[in-house]
Amino acid sequence: MKPENLLMIPGPVQLHERIIKALGSQMISHRSKDFEEVYEYCREALKPLFGTKGDVVIISGSGTAGMEAAVASFSKVRKITCVSNGKFGERFAEIAWRYAEVDHVKFEWGDSIDLDKVRESLENGSEMVTFVHNETSTGILNPAREICKIAKEYDALVVMDGITSVGGDEVRMDEWGVDVCIVGSQKCLGAPPGLAAVAINEKAWEFYNERVPYYLDLKAYVKKAEKNQTPYTPAVPLFLALKEALKIIEEEGLENRIERHRRLAKAVREWAIEAGLELFPRLNEYSSYSNTVTAIKMPKGITDSELRGTLRNEFGITISGGQEHLKGKIFRIGNMGNVSKREIVATLAAIESVMLRKGVEIKPALNKVYEVLG
Ligand SMILES: *Cc1c(COP(=O)(O)O)cnc(C)c1O
């Protein structure tokens, strides 16, 4: 029998018992007071995580549905600057060309964003900027504050993918000047996959394009949200689970939660460095390592399937590989949601033992994990 699976990937994440229980609830009508209360709770509880006093609506669909709803609904622009340094930044460009001309300011996966290039693109007449705050494919945290600052100089709308930062790292939409921000339920919020929350500030409506795909029209969501309802039948079980996930966040306290994510990611990084492994992202003065996912170069002497396959089959631990051209070149460890020291130690100890057994030249480094986590 295979051991129970421990998910240490950047979403979906392991569910807290209470969330599993909520998922198994009897259905309620989405036009009932009961649902309205659930929806209202979720919208309000999400606001501090986004760092906004603006509107928050929830779409039944994965994070990508939120990305497309955000770009499409506010695409009354001629040109969009899509800044990318990884898979999810590129996804914005794949969405955006359907609605406007795109200037894709594209960097190598793992590279940092060169802010001068962003400025150059805006100088050439873009009215919207899209970027990913925490680029999950490479483990880099992009400089949201600085990008917003440049965008504001040109009065451009800022659409930020906060899918793997909201709920796990600091996001301050209003303070930074992010106009539209998206989060997915299955990442740092610790809920099951299938919901995308979109936070929208007033300015975005100047860019409203009514010829948005029907299901993704954020105006319809905002209008219905006045009555704490969704325009179409929502994924009710997921809303019930999300409410429980947000309650858990409230109980932990946002600051504590962010601090926990930071310490866990730091423990993974310090372990990797001490072991003699190499972190994947190439930082500049504005970027930093992700606090929710760590990307590490695959060392010599072991293949992706040997590492991840053995972890899965022998220890019941799932970590992620690299995506697309990074397949086999990196592996990624997520620490999103309700992860604790126990899962981090188990994961890193298992990786260490698999690598040592394969003869990979690394040094045992769990002492670093205890130094960071106590
Ligand atoms: C997971 C992820 C997405 C995509 O979300 P889906 O829920 O798979 O649609 C988008 N952006 C980032 C940064 C992600 O990590």
Side-chain angles (χ1 to χ4, degrees):
M1 203 179 81
K2 273 189 181 178
E4 196 194 331
N5 192 18
L6 171 64
L7 281 183
M8 295 299 285
I9 62 176
V13 299
Q14 211 75 3
L15 297 182
H16 193 290
E17 294 285 346
R18 279 168 54 189
I19 300 173
I20 297 174
K21 198 149 165 257
L23 256 186
S25 307
Q26 182 56 275
M27 281 310 91
I28 54 176
S29 160
H30 60 293
R31 301 297 178 217
S32 66
K33 196 98 215 111
D34 285 345
F35 180 79
E36 288 170 13
E37 278 170 20
V38 171
Y39 192 28
E40 184 176 19
Y41 180 87
C42 291
R43 293 175 61 228
E44 288 305 317
L46 281 164
K47 286 180 187 178
L49 310 192
F50 280 110
T52 187
K53 292 196 159 57
D55 241 321
V56 175
V57 295
I58 304 174
I59 300 171
S60 295
S62 77
T64 307
M67 293 169 78
E68 179 147 24
V71 171
S73 295
F74 305 116
S75 61
K76 204 173 78 185
V77 297
R78 200 178 53 76
K79 193 151 92 180
I80 303 176
T81 293
C82 296
V83 185
S84 81
N85 55 347
K87 182 179 178 70
F88 296 105
E90 289 183 7
R91 182 166 299 176
F92 261 139
E94 286 165 15
I95 293 168
W97 69 267
R98 291 163 160 84
Y99 305 100
E101 189 190 327
V102 167
D103 184 14
H104 194 171
V105 181
K106 192 171 172 176
F107 302 96
E108 290 287 317
W109 291 26
D111 272 357
S112 291
I113 290 169
D114 177 351
L115 294 170
D116 290 339
K117 294 280 193 305
V118 177
R119 181 183 298 280
E120 222 167 82
S121 171
L122 280 155
E123 191 70 48
N124 289 325
S126 277
E127 293 154 282
M128 182 197 287
V129 180
T130 68
F131 73 98
V132 176
H133 187 205
N134 188 79
E135 181 47 83
T136 317
S137 62
T138 67
I140 204 168
L141 186 66
N142 287 320
R145 203 187 283 265
E146 283 75 11
I147 293 171
C148 288
K149 215 167 132 200
I150 296 168
K152 294 296 129 179
E153 286 172 34
Y154 296 89
D155 225 17
L157 192 77
V158 176
V159 176
M160 182 175 94
D161 170 339
I163 292 178
T164 50
S165 58
V166 172
D169 205 349
E170 189 173 68
V171 175
R172 296 179 185 266
M173 264 185 87
D174 294 355
E175 188 186 318
W176 296 347
V178 176
D179 299 299
V180 188
C181 186
I182 307 109
V183 69
S185 51
Q186 79 276 28
K187 316 265 176 143
C188 300
L189 302 179
L195 296 180
V198 186
I200 309 154
N201 277 339
E202 221 26 67
K203 182 190 166 76
W205 298 107
E206 294 167 27
F207 297 80
Y208 177 65
N209 175 7
E210 61 186 11
R211 297 195 64 184
V212 51
Y214 184 78
Y215 194 77
L216 299 176
D217 183 350
L218 287 173
K219 194 165 225 171
Y221 285 85
V222 167
K223 202 144 179 285
K224 267 297 199 192
E226 283 169 16
K227 291 191 288 184
N228 286 308
Q229 289 189 8
T230 55
Y232 327 109
T233 313
V236 175
L238 300 180
F239 278 75
L240 298 174
L242 178 63
K243 182 186 173 188
E244 200 57 36
L246 291 168
K247 270 195 189 167
I248 290 169
I249 295 177
E250 203 162 78
E251 285 164 20
E252 179 174 20
L254 181 57
E255 269 180 43
N256 293 336
R257 188 178 182 86
I258 290 171
E259 184 53 31
R260 176 171 54 79
H261 278 84
R262 288 187 174 169
R263 285 179 61 216
L264 294 175
K266 183 166 189 258
V268 175
R269 290 195 302 269
E270 302 234 326
W271 164 81
I273 292 163
E274 177 77 3
L277 296 166
E278 208 182 325
L279 300 174
F280 178 66
R282 296 172 289 277
L283 302 186
N284 68 9
E285 58 175 315
Y286 297 106
S287 57
S288 42
Y289 292 116
S290 165
N291 294 309
T292 64
V293 59
T294 303
I296 300 168
K297 287 188 188 170
M298 189 68 74
K300 282 195 183 68
I302 193 163
T303 65
D304 182 61
S305 64
E306 282 167 347
L307 175 63
R308 293 196 302 122
T310 312
L311 280 176
R312 174 70 191 93
N313 296 327
E314 236 175 83
F315 297 97
I317 296 173
T318 303
I319 62 170
S320 289
Q323 292 164 296
E324 300 184 20
H325 65 275
L326 292 181
K327 194 165 171 48
K329 302 223 160 67
I330 63 170
F331 60 96
R332 295 174 301 146
I333 303 166
N335 60 286
M336 298 173 187
N338 298 305
V339 172
S340 66
K341 176 176 163 184
R342 168 172 172 250
E343 292 88 3
I344 294 291
V345 171
T347 303
L348 300 182
I351 294 175
E352 230 181 67
S353 83
V354 172
M355 285 186 177
L356 288 171
R357 189 147 40 110
K358 279 299 292 180
V360 179
E361 280 178 35
I362 56 157
K363 176 174 149 201
L366 287 174
N367 57 316
K368 280 286 166 190
V369 179
Y370 299 117
E371 265 176 40
V372 178
L373 298 182

